[in-house]
Amino acid sequence: MNWIEALILGIMQGLTEFLPVSSSGHLEIGQALLGTSGEENLSFAILVHTATVLSTLVIFRREVAQLFKGTFTTLQWNAEKDYVAKILVSMIPVFIVGMFFKDEVEAFFGNGLLLVGICLLVTAVLLALSEWLQKKRQGAGHEVGYKDAIIIGIAQACAVLPGLSRSGSTIATGLLCGVKKESVAQFSFLMVLIPILGEAFLDLLDILQGEASTNLELLPAIVGFIAAFVTGCFACRFMIEIVRRQRLVWFAVYCAIVGSVAIITTLC
């Protein structure tokens, strides 16, 4: 992978991490089109996912600071502790998948576009259904509860499949549960911080201990990281506004088109 390919893939990751079109699926498509080495794919994916997590921290820096302050500066149970507890609850499904099915999940990556195409079609259905029900439902919805958190967490765990959008699945699931659209986007973006940073840390330990290797060179890694971070900042703000205005159907159409093309290309 050269730095130009890393730049393209980094921009693609930064844009699609927050837009409900599947960053992992687009990385698979981009790597297939560019013909980048399969040995680099997982390392690069972890790197650029970490970059977009950091962009989340930048965009939600005030909210994160408030949660941190409310959680660790008092012993009393408060709204911040309650919110953090819901995030921790939402992490249970993805923790189970990561602990017991890590090898099986990694095997899905780099194995062609058929699965990506199918999962993109599933993403399209979720987005279209959630917007339809949101418009049909009367009332503004409710804040994220513990039941909502575990259901959204299950959606996040399922979204480890390439092509099944994490943001699209979690936001759509939250809307289907009746969560307020203003609340579901923020919860969706904050709930992924610890899992991705934790995964990146564990993979870094494996590399340092010699239990894993990477052929990713330094310059492409730096270029890809910066590209994903910068574009991620813009995409995060854009996606929050999209959810507020209920315009997910256009992303459903996009996912349906790209998914269909990926399937047809694979079968033909």
Side-chain angles (χ1 to χ4, degrees), residues 14-36:
L15 291 175
T16 57
E17 174 64 25
F18 298 103
L19 301 182
V21 295
S22 178
S23 60
S24 60
H26 278 73
L27 277 180
E28 286 279 310
I29 294 172
Q31 287 164 342
L33 292 175
L34 294 173
T36 55

Side-chain angles (χ1 to χ4, degrees), residues 66-264:
Q66 182 178 351
L67 288 174
F68 190 89
K69 180 179 179 181
T71 300
F72 296 105
T73 59
T74 178
L75 296 178
Q76 296 180 340
W77 190 260
N78 54 25
E80 289 77 16
K81 283 187 173 66
D82 187 63
Y83 196 89
V84 171
K86 292 171 185 174
I87 290 178
L88 294 176
V89 167
S90 74
M91 290 167 47
I92 294 174
V94 77
F95 174 80
I96 294 173
V97 171
M99 286 294 295
F100 300 105
F101 303 101
K102 186 174 186 293
D103 293 338
E104 288 80 358
V105 169
E106 291 179 354
F108 283 115
F109 291 82
N111 287 330
L113 300 182
L114 181 59
L115 177 61
V116 172
I118 294 172
C119 288
L120 280 170
L121 293 182
V122 174
T123 299
V125 172
L126 281 173
L127 292 173
L129 182 61
S130 66
E131 178 156 330
W132 177 71
L133 287 179
Q134 179 74 5
K135 290 181 178 180
K136 185 178 180 181
R137 184 185 294 119
Q138 298 296 325
H142 57 266
E143 295 293 338
V144 178
Y146 286 95
K147 180 181 178 180
D148 302 315
I150 194 67
I151 295 175
I152 296 173
I154 293 173
Q156 175 172 254
C158 293
V160 297
L161 295 173
L164 189 57
S165 170
R166 192 207 65 80
S167 62
S169 298
T170 54
I171 290 173
T173 300
L175 293 174
L176 291 172
C177 290
V179 178
K180 290 197 295 188
K181 56 182 182 293
E182 295 83 0
S183 302
V184 70
Q186 175 177 310
F187 188 81
S188 169
F189 295 151
L190 292 180
M191 67 186 286
V192 76
L193 295 178
I194 297 177
I196 290 185
L197 289 177
E199 181 184 8
F201 178 74
L202 292 175
D203 284 300
L204 178 60
L205 284 181
D206 288 341
I207 293 173
L208 293 177
Q209 294 172 359
E211 297 179 5
S213 60
T214 176
N215 295 324
L216 187 62
E217 296 179 359
L218 181 60
L219 180 58
I222 294 175
V223 171
F225 184 91
I226 294 175
F229 174 78
V230 173
T231 53
C233 288
F234 288 104
C236 185
R237 288 190 180 278
F238 179 70
M239 185 58 197
I240 294 171
E241 190 62 27
I242 287 294
V243 175
R244 287 174 179 169
R245 296 186 179 185
Q246 297 183 8
R247 294 292 185 271
L248 296 178
V249 67
W250 299 112
F251 293 103
V253 173
Y254 174 82
C255 288
I257 293 173
V258 176
S260 299
V261 171
I263 293 173
I264 293 172

Side-chain angles (χ1 to χ4, degrees), residues 13 17-18 43-57 193 195-201 203 225 228-229:
Q13 162 64 27
E17 174 64 25
F18 298 103
S43 298
F44 185 81
I46 293 171
L47 179 72
V48 291
H49 271 88
T50 303
T52 49
V53 165
L54 294 179
S55 68
T56 306
L57 289 174
L193 295 178
I196 290 185
L197 289 177
E199 181 184 8
F201 178 74
D203 284 300
F225 184 91
F229 174 78

